[in-house]
Amino acid sequence: MRLPTIIFALAMAALAAFPTSAATYKTPKALLEALYSYDTDNSDAEAPSPYSAFFSDHLNKLLQIDLDNTPEGDVGAIDFDPVIAGQDGAASDVRIGQPILLDDKAEVEVQFENGAEVTLFYTLVREHGGWKVDDIANQKGDNPWSLGALLGVAQ
């Protein structure tokens, strides 16, 4: 093996060792693809959400406030998995729409199957050199919601 190949292999191994929270997503699509392929078993148990590595500072702060204000043993404002829009299941056949970009914000529609067709609307922000989720909303059905509204904050 030549020296440049060895150096490249070592660099790739070092990058793989970094935790997911260190990942920077250069495009909205890259962020959402990583989010929907993420295994929540790898999450930081101390984080306010299993998806904190993908969430903006603002959203993580709101989730932490909710967690801090929730009595021991209670669930809090978010009693479901917002990424799959339900208690159980998994997202399959994930389709990520074309982002609508405006400066350091993006709006993206994501559709997938989880027992039924689900459409979620993501608000993303650019921070720390990459894209992060700032809100998730389900505007369809009898009970529309957004994380910001559920956490009591106008987005």
Side-chain angles (χ1 to χ4, degrees), residues 8 20 91 101 122 136 148:
F8 178 75
T20 304
L101 300 169
Y122 280 80
I136 305 171

Side-chain angles (χ1 to χ4, degrees), residues 3-118:
L3 186 57
T5 305
I6 293 170
I7 291 171
F8 178 75
L10 289 172
M12 294 309 292
L15 286 174
F18 281 107
T20 304
S21 61
T24 301
Y25 302 99
K26 297 295 183 186
T27 67
K29 185 173 182 176
L31 168 67
L32 294 168
E33 286 173 343
L35 177 65
Y36 277 96
S37 64
Y38 182 65
D39 181 357
T40 57
D41 290 340
N42 297 326
S43 299
D44 177 1
E46 300 298 314
S49 165
Y51 303 107
S52 285
F54 300 95
F55 289 173
S56 68
D57 292 343
H58 176 250
L59 184 53
N60 276 317
K61 180 179 176 184
L62 295 177
L63 289 163
Q64 187 63 53
I65 290 168
D66 182 59
L67 186 63
D68 292 344
N69 291 324
T70 300
E72 186 74 31
D74 284 356
V75 178
I78 312 299
D79 63 348
F80 63 98
D81 184 333
V83 173
I84 63 166
Q87 298 275 353
D88 302 309
S92 63
D93 190 26
V94 177
R95 297 169 312 280
I96 299 168
Q98 189 67 23
I100 299 169
L101 300 169
L102 183 60
D103 297 324
D104 287 338
K105 290 193 174 202
E107 299 286 333
V108 185
E109 181 178 298
V110 175
Q111 296 177 316
F112 57 88
E113 297 289 327
N114 185 10
E117 179 75 17
V118 177

